[in-house]
Amino acid sequence: MIYLDNAATTMTDPEVVRAMLPYFTENFGNPSSVYGMGNDVRHAISIAKEQVARLINARPNEIYFTSGGTESDNWALMGAVLGVKHRPHVITTQIEHHAILNTCKALEKMGCEVTYLPVMRDGLVDPDKLRKAIKPETDIVSIMMANNEIGTIEPIAELAQIAHESGVIFHTDAVQCVGNMPVDVNELNVDMLSASAHKFGGPKGVGFLYIRNGIDIRSYIYGGAQQNGRRAGTENVPGIIGLGAAAEIAGRNIDMRSKHIETLRDMLLNEIKDRVPGTTLNGSRKYRLPNNINVSFSGVDAQTLLVRLDMQGVCVSTGAACAAGAAEPSHVLKAINLNTDKRNGAIRISLSDKNTMGEIDKVADIIAQQVDMIRGMTW
Ligand SMILES: *Cc1c(COP(=O)(O)O)cnc(C)c1O
């Protein structure tokens, strides 16, 4: 099997699993307990917080553990608008993950106003459009760092600057970036940032929200006083330890690793383009996640291709994993104005540093062969 769907999820690193295991058994204590075992677990959580903070150049007390990217996104938006005294206004984009888009839909039902910025053909947000959309009552701007379908990386530092000039807080969903490429919250100049462990070698069901010191947002999960009273609920201790370990591992040589994946990406893209006429790359060529390829093959239905690739042992996807099975066309591909043929033919290939040159050659062969067969049947 050749796994090329790392934007959907990644394998948990064996080193991460080893770090987690004792926290199910010997160290099963509740971090809020005051006796020794509780203290040990509390200490382990504080180490994980440092590991995560180091990965994104934050301070440990700016890291809040959550159940994943989805909860972090919900919290950032809800926390920014709940309790404000005017009619809230949120600015986001048309290409966000559903964790943002559906939270915005829920906010609209509660009476909030939401502006969904369009994007250009390469998926980039036009900074002028953001500037024009900000109003005196705008509470938050939330723009993803990189898109999970087409891989476009947004000019976050510039967009955050525009929000800050009007005194508006800025959140970014960086789930596709953290652990896969260098991310620095100070360079990006963001107030909040979401990430998820299972997108970079950690376990599923755990992630974090970075909240810059001094940013005042409401809690979203109510209950006990855990995590400084800002996120209630007994911590997912093994998950948090796993997230910390994954962050530690991801931080090692992150520049070199992301460059290496980028090289694999470009090799595969070139091989596919060479062998398959009628291939177009969707998203930006230049501002692109190091591990993302999104291509359309004219006249080829992506679902058909996907099933055939699966039979050859190759795992890729048509877009967001969450949308798979739902026959709805991708909102992202619509937003970048792809015609129906290209939209129906788009597949997403997302690599990891575990992929080899040998796999790249093999996959290019298999794709070329399967596209030829599909075209032979329909043309
Ligand atoms: C995967 C993903 C999420 C959701 O994260 P979970 O941890 O699976 O809830 C949110 N945003 C983006 C961009 C993603 O790729």
Side-chain angles (χ1 to χ4, degrees):
M1 193 192 81
I2 303 179
Y3 186 74
L4 295 169
D5 199 15
N6 290 279
T9 196
T10 60
M11 185 181 81
T12 311
D13 191 302
E15 192 180 333
V16 168
V17 177
R18 272 198 301 281
M20 292 171 71
L21 285 176
Y23 293 89
F24 289 103
T25 52
E26 304 103 80
N27 299 329
F28 66 87
N30 187 319
S32 296
S33 300
V34 291
Y35 40 78
M37 188 159 60
N39 292 337
D40 290 350
V41 174
R42 198 156 57 244
H43 179 67
I45 289 179
S46 73
I47 303 274
K49 217 172 256 189
E50 285 168 17
Q51 290 169 316
V52 169
R54 208 173 299 126
L55 184 64
I56 60 166
N57 195 24
R59 297 195 179 93
N61 68 359
E62 296 173 316
I63 304 299
Y64 295 86
F65 296 116
T66 65
S67 63
T70 299
E71 184 190 321
S72 299
D73 284 348
N74 273 256
W75 182 9
L77 294 179
M78 291 284 186
V81 304
L82 290 176
V84 301
K85 299 212 164 47
H86 51 267
R87 184 185 180 209
H89 179 226
V90 174
I91 300 174
T92 187
T93 77
Q94 293 176 356
I95 61 165
E96 299 295 312
H97 189 274
H98 282 115
I100 291 288
L101 287 180
N102 286 339
T103 303
C104 287
K105 294 265 141 54
L107 286 171
E108 283 185 288
K109 289 215 173 94
M110 295 173 187
C112 179
E113 185 189 351
V114 181
T115 302
Y116 300 90
L117 297 175
V119 293
M120 298 182 277
R121 291 199 71 100
D122 50 9
L124 286 164
V125 174
D126 179 352
D128 278 333
K129 292 245 159 71
L130 171 61
R131 200 173 277 116
K132 294 203 178 90
I134 295 177
K135 312 191 220 188
E137 61 271 29
T138 304
D139 299 292
I140 183 170
V141 175
S142 177
I143 297 177
M144 68 198 325
M145 185 169 171
N147 184 268
N148 48 302
E149 291 187 40
I150 56 172
T152 301
I153 298 177
E154 301 294 343
I156 294 300
E158 185 183 355
L159 298 168
Q161 178 63 27
I162 292 168
H164 289 158
E165 279 163 14
S166 302
V168 178
I169 61 174
F170 192 96
H171 165 258
T172 191
D173 173 340
V175 172
Q176 287 293 327
C177 304
V178 170
N180 292 315
M181 59 184 275
V183 172
D184 179 325
V185 290
N186 296 315
E187 272 174 23
L188 292 174
N189 195 17
V190 295
D191 302 304
M192 292 192 279
L193 175 145
S194 302
S196 176
H198 77 99
K199 301 288 175 84
F200 64 99
K204 293 164 183 63
V206 62
F208 67 89
L209 181 64
Y210 156 81
I211 308 175
R212 186 179 289 280
N213 282 335
I215 296 296
D216 179 30
I217 73 152
R218 292 258 177 138
S219 295
Y220 171 63
I221 302 282
Y222 297 98
Q226 292 91 351
Q227 304 204 57
N228 298 326
R230 290 185 101 173
R231 199 283 192 179
T234 301
E235 293 87 343
N236 170 5
V237 178
I240 288 168
I241 302 303
L243 166 58
E248 175 79 36
I249 295 165
R252 294 177 199 152
N253 303 319
I254 191 157
D255 295 280
M256 256 174 55
R257 261 192 320 114
S258 76
K259 283 273 176 309
H260 170 66
I261 300 176
E262 210 169 273
T263 309
L264 291 177
R265 177 197 72 187
D266 292 342
M267 270 179 55
L268 179 56
L269 177 61
N270 290 336
E271 286 197 38
I272 293 173
K273 277 184 156 171
D274 283 349
R275 289 185 213 187
V276 188
T279 299
T280 47
L281 179 70
N282 303 316
S284 167
R285 181 73 192 81
K286 186 167 175 207
Y287 303 104
R288 189 172 200 95
L289 279 172
N291 70 343
N292 173 290
I293 294 176
N294 188 304
V295 276
S296 299
F297 304 110
S298 63
V300 173
D301 172 59
Q303 287 300 339
T304 310
L305 179 58
L306 217 70
V307 172
R308 285 173 160 269
L309 292 177
D310 183 27
M311 288 192 292
Q312 303 293 319
V314 176
C315 306
V316 301
S317 80
T318 50
C322 337
E328 261 178 63
S330 151
H331 64 287
V332 177
L333 301 182
K334 260 203 252 177
I336 60 169
N337 250 314
L338 284 198
N339 66 31
T340 322
D341 179 47
K342 286 192 179 140
R343 224 154 65 200
N344 293 340
I347 63 164
R348 176 186 71 186
I349 302 171
S350 46
L351 300 110
S352 84
D353 60 352
K354 309 233 166 22
N355 292 120
T356 61
M357 303 273 188
E359 285 179 331
I360 301 296
D361 284 337
K362 205 163 155 201
V363 166
D365 275 343
I366 294 171
I367 289 177
Q369 181 191 40
Q370 295 303 321
V371 168
D372 275 352
M373 286 173 76
I374 295 171
R375 283 179 174 164
M377 293 177 336
T378 51
W379 287 7

